Amino acid sequence: ETGVTQSPTHLIKTRGQQVTLRCSSQSGHNTVSWYQQALGQGPQFIFQYYREEENGRGNFPPRFSGLQFPNYSSELNVNALELDDSALYLCASSRRTEIRNEQYFGPGTRLTVT
Amino acid sequence: ILNVEQSPQSLHVQEGDSTNFTCSFPSSNFYALHWYRWETAKSPEALFVMTLNGDEKKKGRISATLNTKEGYSYLYIKGSQPEDSATYLCAFQKSGGSQGNLIFGKGTKLSVKP
């Protein structure tokens, strides 16, 4: 395993609600990226956090937001949930010394919006 | 829109067969190409990060090649074993992008029958 953990494993929410997903990065890693994998698709980049600030964002609306904490763990928040937000959410941690570094993924949080 | 294509979508082989699959990516603004192995209910596991045209990398029975000028990478598995059954993802990293912004293909799902 990669040493990256995510919680919860599964989550069911209702349309319009808000959700918070959590990620603990691997020891020694200071950068966390979040991805969304919808059914039948590859993972899509949501955003990345480095030194507690957003450092790059994919094509996702502002209702997707995040935080990174001093211990480098991270949260993904999604407001006003829509049915299309149902997906597997993956986080990945890496060291920012070399940008071609491997990213180490967690097992994901499966979000279902009804 | 940057497109990363993987083929085939799925592959069924017998134990002992050798197999290969393809990842196609944009040939411009290339920075790196990542390969991941993803077993069901586990975290995606980094296999290779490839950066130079003509790169060949090997890890046990798995190897990969890279052609950045024509925009493709091959992943080879020699003597497939049932434990090789997984989805194999490739991800393109564009120059000038943030470290986390990997553009993934949809994956090739490999099933190895004993």
Side-chain angles (χ1 to χ4, degrees):
Chain A
E1 293 300 322
T2 62
V4 178
T5 60
Q6 291 187 243
S7 63
T9 309
H10 297 89
L11 202 49
I12 299 174
K13 289 283 190 179
T14 303
R15 194 170 51 180
Q17 285 187 316
Q18 178 264 341
V19 70
T20 298
L21 310 182
R22 294 179 175 83
C23 173
S24 291
S25 56
Q26 188 178 88
S27 176
H29 286 183
N30 55 14
T31 303
V32 175
S33 304
W34 286 91
Y35 293 83
Q36 180 198 65
Q37 188 189 29
L39 199 62
Q41 303 297 315
Q44 274 201 293
F45 177 66
I46 303 174
F47 44 54
Q48 181 187 75
Y49 276 81
Y50 169 64
R51 286 188 176 175
E52 302 175 51
E53 289 194 1
E54 189 179 289
N55 178 52
R57 188 178 184 94
N59 191 24
F60 281 81
R63 60 189 184 83
F64 284 77
S65 63
L67 284 173
Q68 186 181 32
F69 300 99
N71 66 354
Y72 305 124
S73 66
S74 177
E75 284 181 358
L76 164 66
N77 298 292
V78 188
N79 292 324
L81 283 167
E82 300 177 0
L83 296 178
D84 284 351
D85 296 333
S86 296
L88 181 71
Y89 289 84
L90 294 163
C91 78
S93 73
S94 55
R95 275 189 300 270
R96 198 174 172 76
T97 51
E98 165 59 56
I99 78 169
R100 292 190 182 95
N101 259 3
E102 293 169 349
Q103 292 191 33
Y104 293 80
F105 281 85
T109 293
R110 174 75 61 189
L111 172 65
T112 302
V113 182
T114 62
Chain B
I1 296 177
L2 296 173
N3 237 9
V4 176
E5 303 282 347
Q6 290 189 248
S7 62
Q9 275 190 333
S10 64
L11 200 50
H12 298 264
V13 302
Q14 288 293 133
E15 183 175 353
D17 288 349
S18 292
T19 187
N20 66 85
F21 15 95
T22 306
C23 172
S24 301
F25 51 86
S27 54
S28 58
N29 300 314
F30 176 86
Y31 196 75
L33 195 281
H34 301 245
W35 279 101
Y36 286 87
R37 179 175 175 274
W38 196 0
E39 287 182 70
T40 304
K42 293 190 176 179
S43 307
E45 173 200 350
L47 288 174
F48 306 114
V49 181
M50 308 183 80
T51 56
L52 297 174
N53 185 44
D55 250 358
E56 288 190 31
K57 296 213 171 180
K58 190 174 180 183
K59 188 184 276 192
R61 293 179 292 98
I62 304 177
S63 60
T65 62
L66 179 69
N67 183 322
T68 61
K69 292 186 178 175
E70 294 180 46
Y72 64 84
S73 176
Y74 293 136
L75 190 80
Y76 300 92
I77 302 178
K78 187 177 176 183
S80 303
Q81 300 295 309
E83 57 264 32
D84 296 328
S85 297
T87 295
Y88 291 82
L89 287 168
C90 71
F92 169 75
Q93 190 174 5
K94 188 178 81 159
S95 62
S98 71
Q99 183 187 23
N101 192 354
L102 299 183
I103 301 162
F104 281 87
K106 293 182 182 180
T108 293
K109 186 170 182 178
L110 174 68
S111 299
V112 183
K113 285 187 181 176

